């Protein structure tokens, strides 16, 4: 990766092919090895600094940028052990002034992500930026960007977030025609199918950015939303409202007032009275963002409209729990002010989500980027805006433990689970025995970690809460942010205690519960299954394992169970939906013990 060799590859396809083969192999090997990625992408960054004009012509490097961003290294704690040991040594024993980790391995692994981001943020060629987009689309079967393999998989979400970060930066380098084409044919198509709210943030950002920068694209892009808005589809409506407000923030005062007047009258206020909970909650939430904006800027908005907005705002603000949970202003960001490396690499996600975000802070960018590299950036580094981070605001309020970190502490903790993005004022719980912490729950544990589909899990969450189950396990807790999950769960995920038990941890989890006196029961058709009827008595400490939607319970887990239960069926179809089956067995248990 010497700059002179890379420069020579511009006109030598054979050399470029061999370099790509070697570099791609290095990236693959970096899954579990340190130092390779920082060294590789620092060399490429140095080439960009030394031969900036030549770099723009070395289009094949765009493939490596994508491959590098897509790589997810081992996330086991063992891979991070050296960093922990080095930090402890440096703080308590090191008198040399030389960082132990750096002396042993070189730069920390996060440095390669800094270099990749800086490389994309420093390109000036629209051809190079277009190559990044084209390669991601071309290799979708490998990268799973448009169609994830598993909709709720956190690792896939992480990879999509990295790709969306570089795509967002590259979008700002494309010519106007390509921006509109990519947003229309790729971004909006992806937006309607993307299961992750975090990933949707980037997609909404791109649509808003496109319309703001290229106003002539508004009619073409918004036409994509018309049918779903007419049919009052909640997810599409909230996406449309958020994008519209993001655009409005960028307009001049007179234009913003005109835009907001039409937008609020035609969309936001009608939606705030919708019978669809998601539409209603978000629209009321958005009004609470719009009102301070209008009031502070003293925009020339008609008094009647201002009075209506103020009444809605004051009514919401009059609640005792106003501000306890995220409201509309916490869901928003600014598409121009936040368009910096810190904001794009997780800073904005920290403003809209209380989940753990793998963000790159300002200090890390400043540590690894040289003055020469910074001078090439067309996008500023930005600053950490900790005062706007949701997690910091709610850290004392929200507590979600996982089985493999501190299960026993979670078991004794409050049963309250707050739902990210909910509008608290319409979901209040009265003081007369309805508080979640006072709800009497059974010891029943429902293991739903094998269930994959978000709507099914949302329904299971709802019925477990209704029937007073003690705990529900999920393979990935982030599925609670999924709109399909939320629409079926309604608000049950606020109150239902849930914990994360990965599929590979189910066996260990069940053995642990077995030691605690639990009877392990599978909901499955086997030769020795016991029919669920009035004669079947459930032990009070029961654990019910649900199977996969199609395959049922894999053999490796069947071997751990004390018994399997079968629901008698007399129809032609000899299977039922997992939600329905769960409702039957959990109701049978609760009728005996609740």
């Amino acid at each position: 990766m010497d700059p002179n060799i890379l420069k020579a590859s511009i006109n030598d396809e054979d050399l470029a092919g061999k370099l790509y083969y070697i570099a791609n192999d290095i990236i693959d090997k970096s899954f579990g090895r340190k130092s390779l990625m920082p060294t590789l992408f620092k060399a490429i960054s140095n080439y960009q600094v030394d031969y900036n004009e030549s770099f723009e012509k070395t289009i094949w490097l765009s493939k490596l940028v994508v491959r590098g961003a897509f790589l997810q290294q081992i996330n086991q704690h063992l891979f991070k052990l050296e960093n922990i040991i080095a930090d402890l040594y440096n703080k308590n024993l090191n008198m040399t002034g030389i960082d132990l980790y750096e002396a042993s391995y070189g730069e920390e692994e996060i440095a390669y992500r800094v270099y990749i981001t800086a490389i994309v943020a420093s390109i000036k060629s629209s051809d190079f930026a277009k190559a990044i987009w084209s390669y991601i689309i071309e290799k979708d079967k490998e990268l799973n960007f448009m169609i994830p393999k598993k909709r709720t998989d956190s690792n896939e979400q992480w990879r999509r977030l990295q790709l969306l970060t570089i795509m967002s930066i590259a979008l700002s380098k494309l010519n106007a025609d390509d921006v509109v084409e990519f947003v229309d044919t790729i971004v909006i198509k992806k937006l309607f199918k993307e299961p992750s709210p975090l990933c949707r943030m980037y997609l909404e950002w791109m649509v808003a950015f496109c319309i703001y920068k290229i106003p002539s694209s508004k009619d073409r892009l918004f036409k994509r939303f018309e049918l779903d808005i007419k049919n009052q589809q909640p997810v599409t409506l909230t996406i449309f409202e958020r994008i519209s407000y993001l655009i409005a923030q960028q307009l001049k005062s007179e234009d913003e007032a005109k835009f907001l007047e039409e937008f609020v009258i035609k969309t936001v206020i009608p939606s705030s009275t919708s019978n669809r909970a998601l539409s209603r909650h978000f629209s009321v939430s958005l009004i609470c963002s719009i009102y301070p904006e209008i009031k502070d800027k003293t925009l020339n908005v008609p008094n009647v409209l201002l009075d209506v907005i103020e009444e809605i705002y004051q009514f919401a603000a009059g609640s005792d729990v106003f501000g306890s949970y995220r409201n509309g202003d916490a869901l928003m960001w600014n598409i121009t002010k936040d368009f910096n490396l810190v904001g794009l690499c997780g800073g904005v996600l920290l403003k809209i989500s209380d989940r753990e975000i793998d963000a790159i802070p300002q200090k890390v960018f400043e540590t690894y980027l040289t003055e020469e590299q910074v001078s090439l950036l067309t996008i500023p580094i930005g600053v950490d805006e900790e005062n706007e981070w949701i997690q910091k605001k709610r850290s004392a309020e929200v507590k979600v433990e996982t089985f493999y970190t501190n299960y026993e502490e979670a078991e004794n903790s409050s049963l309250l689970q707050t739902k990210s993005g909910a509008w608290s004022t319409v979901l209040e719980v009265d003081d007369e025995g309805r508080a979640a912490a006072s709800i009497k729950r059974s010891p029943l544990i429902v293991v739903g970690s094998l269930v994959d589909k978000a709507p099914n899990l949302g329904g299971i969450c709802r019925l477990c809460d209704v029937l007073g189950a003690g705990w529900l396990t999920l393979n990935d807790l982030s599925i609670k942010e999924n709109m399909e999950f939320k629409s079926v769960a309604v608000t049950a995920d606020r109150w239902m205690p849930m914990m994360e038990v990965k599929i590979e941890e189910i066996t260990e989890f069940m053995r642990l519960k077995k030691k605690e006196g639990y009877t392990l029961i599978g909901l499955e058709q086997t030769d020795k299954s016991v029919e669920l009827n009035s004669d079947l008595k459930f032990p009070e400490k029961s654990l019910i394992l649900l199977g996969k939607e199609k395959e049922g319970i894999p053999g490796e887990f069947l071997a751990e169970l004390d018994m399997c239960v079968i629901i008698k069926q007399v129809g032609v179809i000899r299977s039922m939906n997992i939600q329905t089956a769960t409702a039957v067995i959990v109701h049978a248990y609760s009728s005996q013990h609740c």
Side-chain angles (χ1 to χ4, degrees), residues 41-77:
F41 283 98
K42 185 174 184 179
I44 295 174
S45 181
N46 288 339
Y47 171 50
Q48 187 179 36
V49 171
D50 294 344
Y51 297 103
N52 190 245
E53 292 184 10
S54 298
F55 180 90
E56 304 282 328
K57 299 174 184 177
T58 320
I59 301 295
W60 66 268
L61 287 174
S62 62
K63 300 178 183 179
L64 289 185
V65 168
V66 174
R67 289 287 180 185
F70 186 73
L71 174 77
Q72 185 175 34
Q73 294 179 304
I74 293 175
N75 55 13
Q76 280 95 340
H77 294 307

Side-chain angles (χ1 to χ4, degrees), residues 248-251 253 256 292-300:
Q249 287 179 309
Q250 307 305 316
L251 302 177
S253 295
E256 183 178 6
E293 174 102 354
I294 293 175
K295 186 179 178 182
D296 293 343
K297 287 188 175 183
T298 60
L299 297 174
N300 188 26

Side-chain angles (χ1 to χ4, degrees), residues 534-585:
S534 58
D535 295 328
L536 179 62
K537 303 300 180 185
F538 288 92
E540 187 174 18
K541 297 184 75 172
S542 290
L543 178 151
I544 298 175
L545 174 64
L546 307 179
K548 296 181 179 180
E549 280 94 335
K550 293 182 180 180
E551 297 87 352
I553 299 176
E556 61 188 285
F557 301 128
L558 286 175
E560 301 290 333
L561 301 174
D562 295 311
M563 60 183 289
C564 281
V565 172
I566 185 173
I567 300 170
K568 184 178 179 180
Q569 300 168 48
V570 296
V572 176
I573 299 175
R574 305 310 299 268
S575 64
M576 61 177 66
N577 178 270
I578 188 66
Q579 279 190 64
T580 308
T582 306
V584 173
I585 191 170

Side-chain angles (χ1 to χ4, degrees), residues 6 43 66 86 181 203 213 277 377 394 439 508 538:
L6 292 174
V66 174
E181 185 65 23
L203 298 166
K213 289 292 186 181
L377 295 175
R394 294 181 59 197
I439 293 173
E508 183 183 351
F538 288 92

